[in-house]
Amino acid sequence: MYEFSWHMSNVGESHPLLGPLSEIVGVHHVADEDFVRRSYTRGPFQVLGGGSRGRVPGIVVRPADSDQVARIMRLANESLTPVVPKGGGGSAAAFPPHHVGHDGNILLDTTRLNRIDIDREAMTVTAQSGAILSNVQAEARKRGLHFFAVDVPVHMDTIGGVCSGFLGGGEPSDVATAGPMNAYLLGLTVVLPTGLVVRTGGGRAPTCGSRRHCTARRAVPT
């Protein structure tokens, strides 16, 4: 059981969870240096009047798969340390949010969770939560498929961000005829705050005759 009280005023001191987190993701994918932590408090929407800087996290960790995320969450649960996940950084408000946790917060950066697997026969996409939408679209097009993604900002938003956001997944450019992105969601792998991994949905659809069972459709040449 980890117990600690840590404040940003403790200049030069390492975060108490630096060692355990380094064992999980590797020393090159966790950082508690001041300049790294502060770099996560400024988003692109600030220049457009999107609010002030967010709360400076206590430590930043970048997992590569759901197993590492689960281990991070178990550690955070044991030490009662708040965790704030970060996707593409397209928040229109201050991020990380000021009302969450304390100065020892763990910021979970999903940058490395970017694997994209496409099954052309089943017309499905399986992607990690940190995959950028435009990258998923590009991979789908290589195989002659169309991926239903939000319209803006497609080069910033992540799969995880839109699946947890506006209208349960944002609005594709063809929303009037296709519906929102969540209509094409077949299943999720979710890591709960306790570190328990839950898998939902039925996996690969038995047929792609109906758009309700597909996450992609064949692209029409223009």
Side-chain angles (χ1 to χ4, degrees):
M1 180 74 171
Y2 297 87
E3 294 184 4
F4 67 89
S5 176
W6 190 78
H7 303 280
M8 284 181 56
S9 59
N10 299 344
V11 178
E13 294 186 18
S14 297
H15 192 283
L17 298 182
L18 177 62
L21 288 172
S22 297
E23 293 178 2
I24 295 174
V25 301
V27 295
H28 297 297
H29 303 295
V30 60
D32 67 347
E33 292 90 347
D34 184 67
F35 74 93
V36 175
R37 296 184 291 113
R38 290 184 180 277
S39 69
Y40 281 86
T41 66
R42 183 174 175 81
F45 282 95
Q46 277 193 283
V47 298
L48 302 178
S52 61
R53 283 179 179 266
R55 183 170 198 155
V56 180
I59 192 167
V60 176
V61 60
R62 295 180 285 271
D65 54 42
S66 58
D67 177 66
Q68 290 185 357
V69 174
R71 293 172 63 189
I72 292 168
M73 295 308 300
R74 285 195 291 269
L75 177 64
N77 189 50
E78 292 172 0
S79 61
L80 302 180
T81 308
V83 176
V84 179
K86 179 184 181 298
S91 176
F95 187 89
H98 289 277
H99 66 280
V100 176
H102 50 65
D103 290 342
N105 285 357
I106 297 172
L107 188 142
L108 195 153
D109 182 350
T110 63
T111 302
R112 297 178 65 215
L113 296 166
N114 58 4
R115 191 177 70 247
I116 302 169
D117 297 318
I118 296 178
D119 186 331
R120 192 177 189 281
E121 180 183 356
M123 298 171 64
T124 60
V125 177
T126 301
Q128 291 181 302
S129 63
I132 301 296
L133 295 181
S134 59
N135 293 339
V136 179
Q137 286 182 326
E139 290 301 315
R141 289 195 189 102
K142 291 178 182 178
R143 294 160 177 80
L145 301 174
H146 171 73
F147 172 70
F148 294 96
V150 297
D151 197 17
V152 177
V154 71
H155 298 294
M156 181 187 300
D157 283 353
T158 61
I159 290 289
V162 296
C163 284
S164 63
F166 178 57
L167 288 181
E171 292 186 347
S173 57
D174 46 5
V175 65
T177 57
M181 180 177 155
N182 62 343
Y184 303 89
L185 189 62
L186 297 178
L188 296 168
T189 298
V190 181
V191 179
L192 301 181
T194 59
L196 179 67
V197 179
V198 177
R199 292 177 173 82
T200 71
R204 174 173 167 169
T207 176
C208 281
S210 167
R211 74 181 186 205
R212 293 183 60 188
H213 298 288
C214 302
T215 56
R217 70 181 181 192
R218 298 196 186 281
V220 178
T222 57

